[in-house]
Amino acid sequence: MVKLAASLRDWLAFLESEGKLKTISKEVNLKFEMPALIKKLDGKSAVKFKQPKGYDIPVVSGLAYDRDLFAKALDTNKGGIAQKISEYQKQPLPCRVVPKEDAPVMENININDVDLLKFPIPIHHLKDAGQYITAGLLICKDPETGKRNVSIHRLQIFSKNEMGVLILPRHLWHCYMKAEKKNQPLDVAIVIGVDPILLLASQTIVPLGVDELEIANALKGGEQRLVKCQTVDLEVPAEAEIVLEGKLLPKVRKVEGPFGEFPKYYGPASEKPVIEITAICHRDNPIYHTILPATKEHLLLGGLAREATLYEMIKQTVPTVKDVHLTFGGVCRYHAVISIDKKHEGEAKNAMFAAFASMQEIKHVVVVDTDVDIFDMEEVEWAIATRCQMAQDSMLVSGSLGSKLDPSTKDGISDKMGIDATCPLDAPPEQYETIKIPGYDEIDLANYIDKE
Ligand code: MN
């Protein structure tokens, strides 16, 4: 059994052993050509580029592109991912800090002459403002409490030691504001090249003060080792490929963007905070990871973590919730499908309220009975087609806060709609009796079709 959880290298070895890693030895241009190839393989295979043109560092992408792979990484099954994450994000486990001699990421330390441009950082989409780091875990500490925080941000390369960063008003923003108020820089470390569990843990929706690295450690059964940074007061995963140490500068803003984002539209250019790099550490023969925006790898990372929180929220009001699904068509943010084992009329609508309240990005919600496979959108559509009458089974609210990246909103002000596609409890049993063929499940086709 491959050690799935420990590092990017272990994960790549696992993918290779399963035939799920394609290798490209041909020289490939970082600008558009590599992203085009990643997109062609999206949802089919992970990919390793051995020769990015002009660089001697390989690039990997599409590390976990479907639910089965994430389930493998988490040692669960496809239907148990949300439940597993929601269970473990409630019990963070402190990480062991090892000396730098035991930390592969400290095999090469560069403090005096930092150069971001030596890494093969792609230009992904037509109107992107430049090279972007897309798979960097940004680690910081709350300047008041000292609690660690981890999140992923798009990072535009400005020069060999400067990057622009998009910070939405979540935890990093709070930490940065606390430092900026005192006119102090905020220490940060950007970690590139980690395993899927670390990536997933960085996306969990937990309160400020809960350390996402400790959630990763809990999910890994205590195997997440950290090492101290060289120029900033932070700890980073010891098995990472690359660590960029630096400072978020107070009172400095520069134009960042536009950038092709997860909803498949561009996020606009505007003035953003700036990170100055103070050190670069990396393993021998480092591997660079890029996430192509809007691919299944990208959407699932955000989606699975959100499903865990969604599941938890709905469970509080409808305890019989079975599973939740943020669909690819809804960019794993805007569309939720929820299955409940309905015991009381009205529970479907309560599940919708919980879903809308759980996160502002959720826009359309469909609630179905447990006989519908919510991961099969054809079945979900069938439930909508045959189990609801919209005048009574839909709910429409205008003027709520949605996603600013949804171009149909007015600066994020959005309508919300819920559809109750569950069968009424008082319907006569024959009204919703589905057609069945006796013996269907027992029949094995291979025993019937002529052998060639
Ligand atoms: Mn956080």
Side-chain angles (χ1 to χ4, degrees):
M1 157 111 182
V2 184
K3 264 201 303 163
L4 294 182
S7 70
L8 173 62
R9 294 185 190 202
D10 290 336
W11 181 251
L12 291 173
F14 165 73
L15 288 173
E16 198 154 25
S17 71
E18 297 269 303
K20 290 179 171 163
L21 177 65
K22 298 257 184 282
T23 303
I24 294 180
S25 296
K26 195 177 150 85
E27 195 173 71
V28 170
N29 203 312
L30 285 172
K31 186 176 179 178
F32 305 146
E33 188 181 14
M34 183 183 287
L37 290 161
I38 295 169
K39 189 169 175 177
K40 296 249 182 209
L41 287 166
D42 183 26
K44 301 181 188 84
S45 172
V47 57
K48 181 174 185 178
F49 299 92
K50 286 190 160 170
Q51 275 197 65
K53 193 175 178 186
Y55 297 84
D56 55 3
I57 296 172
V59 178
V60 293
S61 193
L63 297 181
Y65 51 82
D66 64 24
R67 285 171 188 272
D68 290 325
L69 281 171
F70 276 107
K72 279 241 164 70
L74 289 166
D75 194 23
T76 181
N77 52 44
K78 197 170 141 182
I81 298 173
Q83 290 84 343
K84 176 139 192 185
I85 297 172
S86 84
E87 184 188 339
Y88 281 78
Q89 70 186 15
K90 281 183 270 187
Q91 37 191 326
L93 190 65
C95 306
R96 195 155 59 91
V97 179
V98 299
K100 76 174 184 190
E101 293 71 31
D102 294 339
V105 73
M106 293 299 165
E107 282 164 354
N108 302 273
I109 297 169
N110 200 330
I111 296 174
N112 296 321
D113 187 24
V114 299
D115 186 5
L116 288 167
L117 304 172
K118 75 174 187 180
F119 294 105
I121 305 169
I123 299 179
H124 297 97
H125 288 108
L126 176 66
K127 290 194 171 172
D128 284 5
Q131 289 175 292
Y132 269 86
I133 295 174
T134 53
L137 305 187
L138 197 153
I139 299 177
C140 73
K141 278 181 184 167
D142 185 319
E144 283 169 10
T145 65
K147 298 278 189 195
R148 207 157 37 213
N149 192 67
V150 190
S151 46
I152 298 180
H153 301 265
R154 70 187 207 212
L155 297 159
Q156 184 186 342
I157 307 298
F158 287 155
S159 70
K160 65 178 194 171
N161 68 342
E162 224 182 38
M163 301 186 293
V165 53
L166 169 67
I167 313 178
L168 296 173
R170 294 197 71 241
H171 297 167
L172 174 61
W173 184 254
H174 286 295
C175 298
Y176 177 49
M177 285 300 107
K178 286 177 185 178
E180 191 172 58
K181 222 195 272 172
K182 292 187 243 172
N183 208 18
Q184 282 169 359
L186 181 73
D187 282 359
V188 296
I190 291 136
V191 182
I192 301 164
V194 298
D195 60 89
I197 293 184
L198 257 173
L199 287 163
L200 203 50
S202 78
Q203 299 301 292
T204 52
I205 299 171
V206 289
L208 178 62
V210 177
D211 179 359
E212 289 84 358
L213 289 181
E214 294 189 356
I215 296 173
N217 194 34
L219 285 164
K220 291 180 175 191
E223 293 292 313
Q224 184 58 59
R225 308 185 314 146
L226 305 181
V227 64
K228 282 197 175 307
C229 286
Q230 301 300 306
T231 58
V232 292
D233 179 26
L234 292 168
E235 301 79 32
V236 290
E239 272 85 13
E241 294 293 327
I242 300 159
V243 170
L244 314 173
E245 301 181 10
K247 292 173 192 308
L248 251 168
L249 305 174
K251 313 259 162 77
V252 177
R253 301 290 189 273
K254 286 189 182 174
V255 174
E256 179 273 351
F259 180 69
E261 272 286 359
F262 72 87
K264 307 182 186 182
Y265 298 97
Y266 291 97
S270 65
E271 302 233 308
K272 307 277 174 30
V274 172
I275 294 171
E276 189 181 276
I277 301 300
T278 53
I280 296 178
C281 310
H282 63 83
R283 294 179 70 142
D284 292 338
N285 306 310
I287 302 167
Y288 183 83
H289 176 208
T290 196
I291 293 175
L292 178 65
T295 52
K296 292 185 162 60
E297 172 181 39
H298 185 200
L299 296 175
L300 276 175
L301 273 173
L304 296 178
R306 282 168 172 79
E307 282 174 2
T309 297
L310 180 60
Y311 174 78
E312 200 62 39
M313 284 286 284
I314 294 169
K315 208 173 160 186
Q316 287 177 30
T317 169
V318 184
T320 58
V321 58
K322 185 183 161 211
D323 218 337
V324 299
H325 178 204
L326 293 169
T327 68
F328 279 133
V331 292
C332 288
R333 304 285 197 286
Y334 303 163
H335 286 179
V337 185
I338 299 161
S339 60
I340 61 170
D341 183 10
K342 189 166 76 169
K343 303 291 187 203
H344 303 279
E345 219 46 76
E347 282 181 325
K349 288 218 167 99
N350 288 15
M352 289 173 202
F353 285 126
F356 292 132
S358 74
M359 62 201 87
Q360 65 193 42
E361 293 150 317
I362 291 182
K363 186 179 181 186
H364 300 142
V365 175
V366 180
V367 185
V368 297
D369 295 306
T370 54
D371 65 321
V372 175
D373 178 357
I374 63 171
F375 297 103
D376 179 342
M377 291 311 289
E378 197 172 314
E379 280 203 27
V380 174
E381 187 185 353
W382 167 77
I384 295 171
T386 64
R387 294 180 176 184
C388 64
Q389 290 295 316
M390 285 300 175
Q392 63 174 42
D393 291 324
S394 69
M395 179 170 79
L396 193 57
V397 176
S398 67
S400 300
L401 187 55
S403 164
K404 287 190 188 207
L405 286 172
D406 168 359
S408 70
T409 67
K410 278 204 173 71
D411 197 29
I413 303 301
S414 177
D415 291 356
K416 310 265 172 169
M417 185 177 73
I419 295 173
D420 176 359
T422 60
C423 300
L425 289 170
D426 61 358
E430 62 278 9
Q431 187 178 346
Y432 289 99
E433 185 180 352
T434 53
I435 55 174
K436 282 193 179 62
I437 301 173
Y440 176 82
D441 289 338
E442 290 72 42
I443 281 186
D444 183 355
L445 257 187
N447 296 334
Y448 288 80
I449 293 175
D450 292 350
K451 305 240 175 348
E452 293 191 3

